[in-house]
Amino acid sequence: MSDLVKSALPGARAEGLVSIEEMGLSGMVTLRVDLSAAGAAIAQVTGADMPGPRAISAGQGCHVAWMSPDELLILCDHARADAMVADLTAALEGQHHLAVNVSDARALFRVSGPGGALRDTLAKITPADMSADALPPGEMRRTRLQQVAGAIWFESETEARVICFRSVARYTFDLLAMSAKPGGAVGYH
Amino acid sequence: MSTRLSTGGRLIDRSRKIAFTFNGKRLTGHPGDTLASALLASGQTIMGRSFKYHRPRGVVASGAEEPNALVNLGQGKTHEPNQRATTTELFDGLTATSQNHWPSLEWDIGEVNALLPRFLPAGFYYKTFIHPRAFWKHVFEPFIRQSAGLGKAPDPKQTDPDRYEHFYAHTDVVIAGGGIAGLQAALEAGRAGAKVILCEQTAHWGGRAPVDGVEIDGKPAEDWINDTVQVLEGMENVHLRLRTMVAGVYDHGYILAYERVADHAPAADTPRHRLWRIRTARVIAATGALERPLSFPGNDKPGVMLASAMRDYITNWGVSPGDRTVVVTNNDDAYRTALAIKAAGLDVPCIVDAREEADGPLVQEARARGIRVLTGMGIANVKGLRGVVAVQLCRQAGEGAVVEDIVCDAVAMSGGWSPVVHLWSHCGGKLTWDKAGAFFRPDHDRPPTDQTGEGFVVCAGAADGALHATDCLSNASTSARNMLVSMGKPAPEAEVAKATAAHEAPLAPIWVMPQGAGPKKRSKMWLDFQNDVKVSDVQLAAREGYESVEHTKRYTTLGMATDQGKLSNINGLAVLADALGEDIPRVGTTTFRPPYTPISMGAIAGEARGEIFQPLRRTPLHDWHVDHNAYMEPVGHWRRAYCYPQKGESHRDAVNREIDATRGGLGLLDASTLGKIIVKGPDAGRFMDMLYTNMMSSLKPGKCRYGLMCSENGFLMDDGVVARIDEDTFLCHTTTGGADRIHAHMEDWLQCEWWDWKVYTANVTEQWAQIGVVGPKSRAVLEKLGTDMDLSNAALPFMGWTAGKVGGFDMRIFRIAFAGELSFEVSVPASQGRALWDALHEAGQEFGVTAYGTEAMHVMRAEKGFIMIGDETDGTVIPQDLGLDWAISKKKEDYLGKRAQERSHMTDPTRWKLVGLETLDGSVIPDGSYAVAEGVNANGQGMTQGRVTSTYYSPTLKRGIAMGLVLNGPDRMGEVIEFNTTKKPAKGETPKTVKAKIVSPVFYDPEGEKQNV
Amino acid sequence: MRRYSAFAIAREAARHHLGWERAWRSPTPKAHYDVIIVGAGGHGLATAYYLGKNHGIRNVAVIEKGWLGGGNTGRNTTIIRSNYLQDPSAAIYEKARSLYETLSQDLNYNIMFSPRGVMMLAQTQHEIRGYQRTAHANALQGVATEFISPRRVKELCPIINIDGPRYPVLGALWQARGGTARHDAVAWGYARACSDMGMDIIQQTEVTGVRREGGRVVGVDTTKGYIGCGKLGIVVAGHSGVMAERAGFRLPIESVALQALVSEPIKPVMDVVVMANTVHGYMSQSDKGEMVIGGGADGFNNYTQRGSFHHVEETVRALVETFPIISRLKMLRWWGGIVDMTGDRSPIISKTPVEGIFVNCGWGTGGFKAIPGSGWAMAELMAKGHSPLAEEFSMTRFREGKFIDESVAAGVAH
Amino acid sequence: MLTFTCPYCGVTACEAELSPGGEAHLKRFGPGSTDEQFEDYLFLRPNVKGVHFERWRHAMGCGKWFLAARDTATLEVFGTYKAQTTEPPADIVAAIRAKRPDWSLT
Ligand SMILES: Cc1cc2nc3c(=O)[nH]c(=O)nc-3n(C[C@H](O)[C@H](O)[C@H](O)COP(=O)(O)OP(=O)(O)OC[C@H]3O[C@@H](n4cnc5c(N)ncnc54)[C@H](O)[C@@H]3O)c2cc1C
Ligand SMILES: NC(=O)c1ccc[n+]([C@@H]2O[C@H](COP(=O)([O-])OP(=O)(O)OC[C@H]3O[C@@H](n4cnc5c(N)ncnc54)[C@H](O)[C@@H]3O)[C@@H](O)[C@H]2O)c1
Ligand SMILES: Cc1cc2nc3c(=O)[nH]c(=O)nc-3n(C[C@H](O)[C@H](O)[C@H](O)COP(=O)(O)O)c2cc1C
Ligand SMILES: [Zn+2]
């Protein structure tokens, strides 16, 4: 079965001012709950502290990203997502919440390269401030990637993640690849 | 004749030559040349033709303000009309042709217009071409159109090969203009630690100062400029950008800047243009000032140039615009041009100064160099047809009697300077009239304001009215420092460099030369060179009551040409003020609008072309459809397979085959685009009851129910099947186009109205691949794949749902049937979608498995009488119109749209209602046809009694079937009505109609036996 | 009034055009008028004109806060068509279009009505069906339109990329006698004709208040003082909300910015008007040579006559895709107007809760084409209390739920 | 091109990341209301030239609706606040008063 399970753009890669690659399937769980009252349950299931606004906190084999005052996105192994949903549901028993596996609804890209070029490339496709002060590693910015919705965060100064909906994975990839085309260096960041 | 001087030219590299062509002629220039300087150096003084009279025109300016020297640049794919020669950097292989003439630049038939200007005054076209009526369309307009327009249109068979991109930047300060003022402002802001982007539209830093002989701290300005640029380059927080024009200043600190990345190096593999979309806290417009022409008879002839441009050509590019140049001025600055001409070894027969007295240091120097200075004088006429051969002098105070003829081949004119206040004004900054300088400058008390209500633009240097170099640096420094304080980022104390330049006496505001010129002379004084607007035209507008400066602009087209009146507007409004007997500030300016200079459409569209023109949404099965020759149709940004034509099949054949196969055995539909929204929480039932017209809270887990959603305004907005997952949870299916809209609609009501209700939603549309497994063999194929579920009718009846494994896939199965057959809508996580689709095809071979597209789906649902959002509904239809009363709860007190549906027109019994329609002759009623009724209404329109909403050929019934909304339709079963066609009837015949019988909309399996097995 | 003609020009040429008289007078206001129209845009001026011409009411003032024609009438993309779907719309727009045909002669002012043809591209199956429906409706409404093939589209407009990879052109709704007119001239021509009938056009004067006695209007306060009137017509487009408040009622209207832009002029390449609703943009070429371009309206309340860049970006992107040749043309100027959007995007020509006050507004993004018809109907309504053309456009229709929804047929409604 | 700071996630978002939603603080009228009340609720708008309370959704971000007080003639923003309120909060009213002394909440 596993070889039949496919991410949006298996193996897609582009090289230019930075490298872009589709990261394959990744587990993602949307959790909607009053975050102010769910810290313990989250910690119990994920091992992560409740992230502050826009932050991503690390847990055991997973990351927890703040999406809004009543929404988290939990990133984990693809295979673990269903169990994660079940565990969250159990841990939040009796509390109004919604946990749902959305792993297959998205596509995830690794964009890596020299820090300046990396931030410049991203700054061609989003109105969000891509400077290091405005978006340091560990913070997620949900925004617009030209004509589609998406989110960006930095793992380090030389590696970023871009996430979008699965149906527009090709668009997002092409957009990134075009922005990273040699000859298009900007030298701003 | 213009020519290259043997020395000089600070911007050119004389050691190298580059070749280019103009009108096919091979010419050469140097790196650093603009097309204009290279043309002048080659003796090419005529560069274009004016718009209306096709007058021969030479270059008048040296920068972005140029109205005359516009060329067609490049050929074929890279052809670009209306390129200003003055801002086009010369590159090897450049080809340019001149515009707006036939047959040639030198001999233009259109020039006959120039002989008739008396018959073509401003707005003449409003007064004539009125009779006979048909002549306008067939004779006059085609003639006007043919002679109008400027550059050659690009060839429609070619596509622009270049790429473009956008770049978003966020900063504290954007500085427009890299003259000494901009550089000084950047120093201040940079030292204060602000993030700065400094943009200069040309390829060089420093602006006018190096040409004007300014000294800074005792050294030539150029040294200071180089040093300062170096300092700025060393600052981490300062970003310098050449060839980048700040195009517009918008609300809330939004700036567009236009970087011409590769216009000067077209062979490079880079984007051609980059559009900077900048958010900034503050803007410093250090955009300098523009020199104004003087209005004297013949001021538009090739060879008449702005004085500052003339010295630019000499100093920057080592080009002589003429051997003998008469300088005509109302100020001291133009004397610099006379001195520069002299210094280049050329002749200045005289300086014609309109002021009664002239005695500043520059004047004295000119006199000392032996230049004849005539005061109180003006130009009565410029002699020459395609160039200047002499000027005739007169008293400025008089009517223009000629005092003296002076032989010359060029004229340098200066009417004073106007600060470039465009960027200040774009967002509402107001101006004040500076009497001494005779120009508008920013009114510091009325700046454009940002989101906090604070002024966010300042002007610096010449742009702020500090024209003289001595004031310019201190002004820039003070403006920048004040602004930094207002931002809470004060700049550290630092010595401001001292600029020095010769002192200048005040100018005399001269708008017309000579002052008492009669109508004949005024009709030869050009204000707007490109659009051929003359002093007499503005006066005519005033006389005819087009008194507002905006009326005058539109009536005469003053300032509407490609230079947007950079040279003409102030002169024009001064002439208007005079004609009205008003003060200039009372007359005011026209509105400044972006862009500062024109920017390419390519840059505005950015990267969005070809594959990434728009996002194209793909389902997990997308590639399969493409591989199987699907004809894809756009549904929103999705692409869906419309049908899968096989070799030799028309679309219609394919649709019919797909339907037959589905009804006869097994069809598969990619239904992944259907919206899927989870609604969960203790109040979910209550919320669902508000969203849907029917009762959803009573739905049992494991069951599905079809539901309708209305807008608060009562109209049907979406429909779909709801599955109850558990006590707390519903799964709502929406239409393909509805998913995002409906999810937003739900969140709107939850967040903004019922925020105390405990309900969460999640849009999981893309998590699932959904496949319609449809037809009598649908159960068999699923069972064949192997499943742990009981799929029998008893265990999983119609409108039930279940979850489990099929063939190793994690699957949800819904017993819903849009086609009216036994069918299972199955969904699996998107990552498994393609594998399942393939497995179904493989297993389905023995059942004649056939993929069907959206059109087959539409026809099959129409055969069943199911409505389709967007066909039966159009935003004006309520569920009651569609006979869907059964899906509207009578028990519920409230649902979205209920109150709206109680309004008188909504309950009107004469609303058209849904019925089926069967043509008498079996034909298909045309799409969109109306049912005709007797007579006409009060406005003479044919009466109607209904319209068709869906109409198809039914391969199942082998005839045309349709649904439609008909007046009292459900009560008129069996009645025959007529539908109109758009076929034009032959003469004398009545328009053709199609007769159809009103029937039940359910054409196929009315008892539902097929789906219920 | 001295008539305009080629003859008159020749005569004036001989004396350097010193003999032309004012196109309209700039009078000081009288104390009282039978009718005051607020707003000297196209609709206000046309209302005044037909009050005089059709109903003999000439003691009329048109009061304008700025310069006449400076509102949306002076800043629109001038598309004229009447291929509307709903009967009431088709009736008034076709009335307007047919009046445009002879307006130059009627006003003795060349307004350059140019029936060069308007096509609305169908780029999805859904749009094909929508436009076929319109074509069928138009056939019964007496509006000459037809649905044409992609080949014909290409013949009529060679610069369209009809087999664009993304949205191939599948056909178009074609109205051969739709087109454009010179927008300023429409305002100026009506103003001149009104002035000639003795009406007063009072510019640079804002109506700041409305006075009532016993539930009836008696006059208006203006920046030039009080002026009495028998009837009052409020025809102020984007400022309808502001004026309604001054008159004491509310309207189902929101004011938002709509933007347009022009390219630099080029030699003629496009003889027709093309609207591409799937991608949201439309374009025509003016007689001067610029490409005149517009798209959709901004979404928030705004009185600044400036819009947002991303809407223009979307429009230009769409048009570069539809007309690839414009990629290397340049945008010359870009501006906005404040348009008055009703709940169903159709206009209001109506009596109001205040006796003697009438409103004409809600033309939103598409009222230039309606000017003569709207003026005709409004004048009739004001003079007689009833007009068949205005009947369905009453402001009470929202209460009854009797909408005239045109968005059905066209995403971009110009 | 407006900017607003989303009161939920703290992001200062560009207009292109937001979607506008018209007038704020509408009171819903459902079944049982008069035709006038319903018309007033759904259609009649003050459409003020001046201080305007309005709805925006952080659509390309946290997804939350928020409210803003903005001047429609100058585009000045006096503040943003959460959607779960039936009238402008006191601090917003104070912020407007500070800038527009003549203004009153009607
Ligand atoms: C960018 C753009 C493109 C458009 N494109 C098209 C198109 O292609 N085709 C089409 O048919 N329509 C189009 N329209 C719509 C069309 O322009 C308008 O519907 C039409 O011009 C409205 O005319 P009007 O006379 O009602 O309003 P306006 O021309 O706006 O006139 C109203 C006048 O009232 C004045 N006024 C306001 N308040 C007061 C007061 N208190 N006292 C005195 N005077 C006052 C204003 O100053 C203004 O002059 C477009 C609009 C815009 C903005
Ligand atoms: N003596 C006079 O009468 C007189 C009159 C005018 C100017 N000057 C001289 O002009 C100089 C003034 O210096 P300054 O720095 O204020 O002006 P400047 O004209 O030297 O520099 C302005 C710079 O801004 C650039 N620019 C303009 N608009 C732009 C835009 N939208 N985007 C990007 N760049 C843009 C121009 O290309 C130019 O380089 C002094 O040297 C002064 O002596 C003198
Ligand atoms: C149909 C049409 C064509 C136009 N053509 C030009 C033009 O060729 N040149 C120009 O500068 N402006 C042109 N404009 C824009 C006007 O200059 C002006 O921007 C517009 O009427 C709005 O007024 P405002 O900018 O003064 O607010 C045109 C406007 C319209 C409506
Ligand atoms: Zn937010």
Side-chain angles (χ1 to χ4, degrees), chain A residues 66-69, chain D residues 5-11 13 18 58-59 61-64 66:
Chain A
W66 189 96
M67 304 293 271
S68 85
Chain D
T5 301
C6 171
Y8 295 94
C9 69
V11 161
L18 303 168
H58 193 187
C62 72
K64 296 297 180 212
F66 64 87

Side-chain angles (χ1 to χ4, degrees), chain B residues 199 244-248 255-259 274-278:
Chain B
C199 302
T244 304
M245 185 258 310
V246 175
I255 308 299
L256 287 185
Y258 176 63
E259 182 177 6
R274 177 178 294 128
L275 191 67
W276 288 62
R277 309 171 68 162
I278 310 173

Side-chain angles (χ1 to χ4, degrees), chain B residues 118 130 160 543 611 614, chain C residues 17 105 166 327-328 331:
Chain B
R118 274 206 191 184
I130 299 174
D160 184 351
R543 191 176 309 128
E611 276 301 304
Q614 273 182 358
Chain C
H17 301 280
Q105 290 71 34
R166 197 56 69 94
S327 177
R328 289 179 98 88
M331 166 164 83

